[in-house]
Amino acid sequence: MTVLSLFDPSAIPPSRPRVAALSGNISRPSRGRALAGELGRRVAGAVRGELEQFDLVDAGQDLGLARTRSELSPAGLSILQAMEAADLVIVSVPVLRGGYPGLFKHLIDFLDPEAMHARPVILGATSTSPQDAGLIEHQLVPLFQWLGATIVPETVFAQDRSFLDFRQIDPDVDRRIAMASAHAARLLQAGQRRSASRQRDTA
């Protein structure tokens, strides 16, 4: 019988990648939640990870009253902590009058840039109009670049008509979801390999 050393990295089961998905919606169910959830399930399934999903409404009714992170409700703080601890973050927002919801931006402003540095992020948005597709590149990408996140190149925009009973049914959108989730899975797997290599080097 082979006895493994307590300090042998191969004796330590690898942790499952954590995926945190946030939709910037104040109601549930929503198309944004459906999009974020589908992306999250695809990635988590590919890397055998754990998915934790949130909606903006989960942050509590007093979100807008918080002036500092310490004034957030426990529920709002738990969303931030889950995003900062995740190996991958997924964000989907509804487009309202050409922009994302103000409360969504208010919550994101409390994220710790150091914790988000180099964190892979998939960005998505939903809207009634195809003209709103540019919001991802012009507003969401700069927001998360400022936080130092690594933006997955394949973003996902879906019109409301792409959903039936809050289920995504558009083949073109599904292809974008597949591309984005596959790219994100490769990033996570590469990170796992680097982590395993560092463990071996320090053993």
Side-chain angles (χ1 to χ4, degrees), residues 60-100:
Q61 296 181 345
D62 55 352
L63 170 60
L65 300 177
R67 294 168 297 178
T68 65
R69 179 170 169 138
S70 63
E71 294 179 354
L72 287 171
S73 67
L77 183 59
S78 69
I79 295 175
L80 297 182
Q81 291 172 334
M83 294 175 71
E84 292 166 352
D87 298 290
L88 170 76
V89 171
I90 296 168
V91 171
S92 174
V93 298
V95 183
L96 306 173
R97 298 184 179 181
Y100 45 64

Side-chain angles (χ1 to χ4, degrees), residues 3-165:
V3 179
L4 295 176
S5 165
L6 290 176
F7 300 101
D8 185 346
S10 64
I12 304 174
S15 59
R16 298 178 65 184
R18 291 167 293 183
V19 179
L22 171 67
S23 61
N25 295 80
I26 57 173
S27 62
R28 192 166 40 226
S30 70
R31 296 172 184 86
R33 179 179 177 82
L35 178 58
E38 183 62 25
L39 282 162
R41 285 187 291 274
R42 298 273 187 104
V43 178
V47 299
R48 298 182 181 179
E50 298 176 349
L51 171 63
E52 196 168 8
Q53 188 164 6
F54 304 93
D55 299 294
L56 186 61
V57 67
D58 294 323
Q61 296 181 345
D62 55 352
L63 170 60
L65 300 177
R67 294 168 297 178
T68 65
R69 179 170 169 138
S70 63
E71 294 179 354
L72 287 171
S73 67
L77 183 59
S78 69
I79 295 175
L80 297 182
Q81 291 172 334
M83 294 175 71
E84 292 166 352
D87 298 290
L88 170 76
V89 171
I90 296 168
V91 171
S92 174
V93 298
V95 183
L96 306 173
R97 298 184 179 181
Y100 45 64
L103 281 176
F104 164 79
K105 175 63 162 60
H106 189 60
L107 178 66
I108 296 302
D109 282 345
F110 292 128
L111 280 171
D112 180 0
E114 290 188 10
M116 293 299 293
H117 179 72
R119 179 86 61 236
V121 176
I122 299 178
L123 299 174
T126 61
S127 175
T128 58
S129 171
Q131 296 178 346
D132 291 327
L135 172 132
I136 299 177
E137 294 299 325
H138 298 301
Q139 296 186 40
L140 281 181
V141 168
L143 176 61
F144 283 89
Q145 283 179 333
W146 183 87
L147 288 167
T150 298
I151 311 298
V152 174
E154 296 83 5
T155 59
V156 184
F157 175 79
Q159 291 183 246
D160 289 357
R161 66 184 185 187
S162 300
F163 297 85
L164 177 64
D165 296 329

